[in-house]
PDB file of all heavy atoms in Angstrom:
ATOM      1  N   ARG A 819     102.828 108.400 110.737  1.00 98.00           N
ATOM      2  CA  ARG A 819     102.287 108.675 112.105  1.00 98.00           C
ATOM      3  C   ARG A 819     102.699 107.579 113.049  1.00 98.00           C
ATOM      4  O   ARG A 819     101.986 106.947 113.777  1.00 98.00           O
ATOM      5  CB  ARG A 819     100.764 108.863 112.125  1.00 98.00           C
ATOM      6  CG  ARG A 819     100.397 110.098 111.311  1.00 98.00           C
ATOM      7  CD  ARG A 819      98.861 110.431 111.556  1.00 98.00           C
ATOM      8  NE  ARG A 819      98.547 110.653 112.987  1.00 98.00           N
ATOM      9  CZ  ARG A 819      98.890 111.763 113.593  1.00 98.00           C
ATOM     10  NH1 ARG A 819      99.418 112.764 113.007  1.00 98.00           N
ATOM     11  NH2 ARG A 819      98.494 111.913 114.849  1.00 98.00           N
ATOM     12  N   LEU A 820     104.055 107.212 113.038  1.00 98.00           N
ATOM     13  CA  LEU A 820     104.564 106.092 113.817  1.00 98.00           C
ATOM     14  C   LEU A 820     105.812 106.359 114.380  1.00 98.00           C
ATOM     15  O   LEU A 820     106.540 107.309 113.955  1.00 98.00           O
ATOM     16  CB  LEU A 820     104.590 104.840 112.965  1.00 98.00           C
ATOM     17  CG  LEU A 820     105.701 104.814 111.879  1.00 98.00           C
ATOM     18  CD1 LEU A 820     107.082 104.355 112.337  1.00 98.00           C
ATOM     19  CD2 LEU A 820     105.154 103.785 110.754  1.00 98.00           C
ATOM     20  N   VAL A 821     106.181 105.711 115.515  1.00 98.00           N
ATOM     21  CA  VAL A 821     107.431 105.647 116.058  1.00 98.00           C
ATOM     22  C   VAL A 821     107.863 104.265 116.409  1.00 98.00           C
ATOM     23  O   VAL A 821     107.034 103.431 116.931  1.00 98.00           O
ATOM     24  CB  VAL A 821     107.497 106.624 117.277  1.00 98.00           C
ATOM     25  CG1 VAL A 821     106.632 106.070 118.446  1.00 98.00           C
ATOM     26  CG2 VAL A 821     108.961 106.692 117.819  1.00 98.00           C
ATOM     27  N   CYS A 822     109.163 103.825 116.021  1.00 98.00           N
ATOM     28  CA  CYS A 822     109.737 102.673 116.539  1.00 98.00           C
ATOM     29  C   CYS A 822     110.447 102.938 117.668  1.00 98.00           C
ATOM     30  O   CYS A 822     111.501 103.693 117.635  1.00 98.00           O
ATOM     31  CB  CYS A 822     110.533 101.992 115.352  1.00 98.00           C
ATOM     32  SG  CYS A 822     109.590 101.545 113.897  1.00 98.00           S
ATOM     33  N   THR A 823     110.267 102.331 118.873  1.00 98.00           N
ATOM     34  CA  THR A 823     110.849 102.693 120.154  1.00 98.00           C
ATOM     35  C   THR A 823     112.002 102.077 120.560  1.00 98.00           C
ATOM     36  O   THR A 823     112.667 102.454 121.618  1.00 98.00           O
ATOM     37  CB  THR A 823     109.850 102.612 121.226  1.00 98.00           C
ATOM     38  OG1 THR A 823     109.567 101.254 121.523  1.00 98.00           O
ATOM     39  CG2 THR A 823     108.434 103.273 120.811  1.00 98.00           C
ATOM     40  N   SER A 824     112.548 100.931 119.888  1.00 98.00           N
ATOM     41  CA  SER A 824     113.518 100.007 120.499  1.00 98.00           C
ATOM     42  C   SER A 824     112.960  99.387 121.804  1.00 98.00           C
ATOM     43  O   SER A 824     111.641  99.455 122.001  1.00 98.00           O
ATOM     44  CB  SER A 824     114.799 100.714 120.857  1.00 98.00           C
ATOM     45  OG  SER A 824     114.778 101.503 122.013  1.00 98.00           O
ATOM     46  N   ASP A 825     113.725  98.788 122.599  1.00 98.00           N
ATOM     47  CA  ASP A 825     113.231  98.061 123.777  1.00 98.00           C
ATOM     48  C   ASP A 825     113.007  99.014 124.928  1.00 98.00           C
ATOM     49  O   ASP A 825     112.716  98.540 126.000  1.00 98.00           O
ATOM     50  CB  ASP A 825     114.279  96.972 124.287  1.00 98.00           C
ATOM     51  CG  ASP A 825     114.122  95.784 123.344  1.00 98.00           C
ATOM     52  OD1 ASP A 825     113.384  95.855 122.226  1.00 98.00           O
ATOM     53  OD2 ASP A 825     114.699  94.604 123.719  1.00 98.00           O
ATOM     54  N   ASN A 826     113.075 100.248 124.582  1.00 98.00           N
ATOM     55  CA  ASN A 826     112.549 101.278 125.626  1.00 98.00           C
ATOM     56  C   ASN A 826     111.185 101.050 125.863  1.00 98.00           C
ATOM     57  O   ASN A 826     110.601 101.483 126.972  1.00 98.00           O
ATOM     58  CB  ASN A 826     112.842 102.792 125.175  1.00 98.00           C
ATOM     59  CG  ASN A 826     114.251 103.170 125.357  1.00 98.00           C
ATOM     60  OD1 ASN A 826     114.990 102.562 126.190  1.00 98.00           O
ATOM     61  ND2 ASN A 826     114.637 104.270 124.676  1.00 98.00           N
ATOM     62  N   LEU A 827     110.335 100.475 124.864  1.00 98.00           N
ATOM     63  CA  LEU A 827     108.978 100.056 125.123  1.00 98.00           C
ATOM     64  C   LEU A 827     108.815  98.636 124.629  1.00 98.00           C
ATOM     65  O   LEU A 827     109.210  98.440 123.472  1.00 98.00           O
ATOM     66  CB  LEU A 827     108.008 101.085 124.531  1.00 98.00           C
ATOM     67  CG  LEU A 827     106.556 100.804 124.771  1.00 98.00           C
ATOM     68  CD1 LEU A 827     105.798 102.028 124.937  1.00 98.00           C
ATOM     69  CD2 LEU A 827     105.836  99.949 123.712  1.00 98.00           C
ATOM     70  N   VAL A 828     108.250  97.803 125.417  1.00 98.00           N
ATOM     71  CA  VAL A 828     107.903  96.479 125.030  1.00 98.00           C
ATOM     72  C   VAL A 828     106.587  96.132 125.516  1.00 98.00           C
ATOM     73  O   VAL A 828     106.233  96.352 126.754  1.00 98.00           O
ATOM     74  CB  VAL A 828     108.887  95.370 125.607  1.00 98.00           C
ATOM     75  CG1 VAL A 828     110.329  95.450 124.969  1.00 98.00           C
ATOM     76  CG2 VAL A 828     109.144  95.481 127.142  1.00 98.00           C
ATOM     77  N   TYR A 829     105.635  95.851 124.626  1.00 97.00           N
ATOM     78  CA  TYR A 829     104.190  95.772 124.935  1.00 97.00           C
ATOM     79  C   TYR A 829     103.924  94.467 125.621  1.00 97.00           C
ATOM     80  O   TYR A 829     104.078  93.377 125.025  1.00 97.00           O
ATOM     81  CB  TYR A 829     103.422  95.974 123.685  1.00 97.00           C
ATOM     82  CG  TYR A 829     101.924  96.070 123.942  1.00 97.00           C
ATOM     83  CD1 TYR A 829     101.318  97.209 124.457  1.00 97.00           C
ATOM     84  CD2 TYR A 829     101.074  94.946 123.676  1.00 97.00           C
ATOM     85  CE1 TYR A 829      99.949  97.252 124.794  1.00 97.00           C
ATOM     86  CE2 TYR A 829      99.742  94.996 123.991  1.00 97.00           C
ATOM     87  CZ  TYR A 829      99.187  96.099 124.435  1.00 97.00           C
ATOM     88  OH  TYR A 829      97.841  96.242 124.761  1.00 97.00           O
ATOM     89  N   LYS A 830     103.385  94.613 126.821  1.00 94.00           N
ATOM     90  CA  LYS A 830     102.992  93.451 127.687  1.00 94.00           C
ATOM     91  C   LYS A 830     103.918  92.307 127.801  1.00 94.00           C
ATOM     92  O   LYS A 830     103.572  91.154 127.775  1.00 94.00           O
ATOM     93  CB  LYS A 830     101.657  92.940 127.041  1.00 94.00           C
ATOM     94  CG  LYS A 830     100.526  93.986 126.989  1.00 94.00           C
ATOM     95  CD  LYS A 830      99.962  94.433 128.360  1.00 94.00           C
ATOM     96  CE  LYS A 830      98.857  95.386 128.144  1.00 94.00           C
ATOM     97  NZ  LYS A 830      98.371  95.916 129.535  1.00 94.00           N
ATOM     98  N   SER A 831     105.195  92.567 127.815  1.00 87.00           N
ATOM     99  CA  SER A 831     106.299  91.618 128.006  1.00 87.00           C
ATOM    100  C   SER A 831     107.408  92.054 128.878  1.00 87.00           C
ATOM    101  O   SER A 831     107.412  93.273 129.153  1.00 87.00           O
ATOM    102  CB  SER A 831     106.752  91.125 126.627  1.00 87.00           C
ATOM    103  OG  SER A 831     107.375  92.217 125.925  1.00 87.00           O
ATOM    104  N   GLN A 832     108.138  91.125 129.371  1.00 84.00           N
ATOM    105  CA  GLN A 832     109.242  91.480 130.262  1.00 84.00           C
ATOM    106  C   GLN A 832     110.331  92.404 129.704  1.00 84.00           C
ATOM    107  O   GLN A 832     110.850  92.073 128.583  1.00 84.00           O
ATOM    108  CB  GLN A 832     109.920  90.123 130.708  1.00 84.00           C
ATOM    109  CG  GLN A 832     111.085  90.322 131.696  1.00 84.00           C
ATOM    110  CD  GLN A 832     110.640  90.897 133.034  1.00 84.00           C
ATOM    111  OE1 GLN A 832     109.686  90.529 133.558  1.00 84.00           O
ATOM    112  NE2 GLN A 832     111.367  92.019 133.500  1.00 84.00           N
ATOM    113  N   ALA A 833     110.520  93.501 130.335  1.00 87.00           N
ATOM    114  CA  ALA A 833     111.640  94.402 129.881  1.00 87.00           C
ATOM    115  C   ALA A 833     112.960  93.904 130.608  1.00 87.00           C
ATOM    116  O   ALA A 833     112.909  93.483 131.767  1.00 87.00           O
ATOM    117  CB  ALA A 833     111.429  95.766 130.291  1.00 87.00           C
ATOM    118  N   TRP A 834     114.080  94.190 129.949  1.00 86.00           N
ATOM    119  CA  TRP A 834     115.338  93.724 130.521  1.00 86.00           C
ATOM    120  C   TRP A 834     116.109  94.968 131.069  1.00 86.00           C
ATOM    121  O   TRP A 834     116.268  95.907 130.228  1.00 86.00           O
ATOM    122  CB  TRP A 834     116.209  92.967 129.600  1.00 86.00           C
ATOM    123  CG  TRP A 834     115.720  91.625 129.339  1.00 86.00           C
ATOM    124  CD1 TRP A 834     114.664  91.328 128.346  1.00 86.00           C
ATOM    125  CD2 TRP A 834     115.912  90.273 130.015  1.00 86.00           C
ATOM    126  NE1 TRP A 834     114.343  89.990 128.379  1.00 86.00           N
ATOM    127  CE2 TRP A 834     115.022  89.457 129.451  1.00 86.00           C
ATOM    128  CE3 TRP A 834     116.687  90.013 131.030  1.00 86.00           C
ATOM    129  CZ2 TRP A 834     115.079  88.022 129.755  1.00 86.00           C
ATOM    130  CZ3 TRP A 834     116.725  88.716 131.487  1.00 86.00           C
ATOM    131  CH2 TRP A 834     115.845  87.793 130.877  1.00 86.00           C
ATOM    132  N   LEU A 835     116.644  95.036 132.263  1.00 89.00           N
ATOM    133  CA  LEU A 835     117.334  96.201 132.820  1.00 89.00           C
ATOM    134  C   LEU A 835     118.816  96.053 132.976  1.00 89.00           C
ATOM    135  O   LEU A 835     119.385  96.757 133.660  1.00 89.00           O
ATOM    136  CB  LEU A 835     116.604  96.575 134.108  1.00 89.00           C
ATOM    137  CG  LEU A 835     115.241  97.229 133.888  1.00 89.00           C
ATOM    138  CD1 LEU A 835     114.148  96.212 133.805  1.00 89.00           C
ATOM    139  CD2 LEU A 835     114.957  98.112 135.115  1.00 89.00           C
ATOM    140  N   HIS A 836     119.427  94.899 132.422  1.00 87.00           N
ATOM    141  CA  HIS A 836     120.811  94.676 132.671  1.00 87.00           C
ATOM    142  C   HIS A 836     121.751  95.688 132.284  1.00 87.00           C
ATOM    143  O   HIS A 836     122.881  95.870 132.856  1.00 87.00           O
ATOM    144  CB  HIS A 836     121.206  93.325 132.107  1.00 87.00           C
ATOM    145  CG  HIS A 836     121.178  93.254 130.667  1.00 87.00           C
ATOM    146  ND1 HIS A 836     120.027  93.366 129.911  1.00 87.00           N
ATOM    147  CD2 HIS A 836     122.110  92.946 129.812  1.00 87.00           C
ATOM    148  CE1 HIS A 836     120.299  93.203 128.635  1.00 87.00           C
ATOM    149  NE2 HIS A 836     121.618  93.097 128.519  1.00 87.00           N
ATOM    150  N   GLU A 837     121.514  96.541 131.375  1.00 92.00           N
ATOM    151  CA  GLU A 837     122.330  97.610 130.913  1.00 92.00           C
ATOM    152  C   GLU A 837     121.606  98.993 131.026  1.00 92.00           C
ATOM    153  O   GLU A 837     122.020  99.947 130.353  1.00 92.00           O
ATOM    154  CB  GLU A 837     122.799  97.471 129.458  1.00 92.00           C
ATOM    155  CG  GLU A 837     123.659  96.375 129.141  1.00 92.00           C
ATOM    156  CD  GLU A 837     124.092  96.149 127.727  1.00 92.00           C
ATOM    157  OE1 GLU A 837     123.308  96.675 126.826  1.00 92.00           O
ATOM    158  OE2 GLU A 837     125.200  95.551 127.491  1.00 92.00           O
TER     159      GLU A 837
END
Side-chain angles (χ1 to χ4, degrees):
R819 299 190 58 79
L820 68 82
V821 62
C822 298
T823 69
S824 75
D825 284 11
N826 278 343
L827 186 142
V828 290
Y829 184 74
K830 302 293 184 180
S831 60
Q832 175 68 44
W834 294 88
L835 286 81
H836 64 294
E837 294 181 334

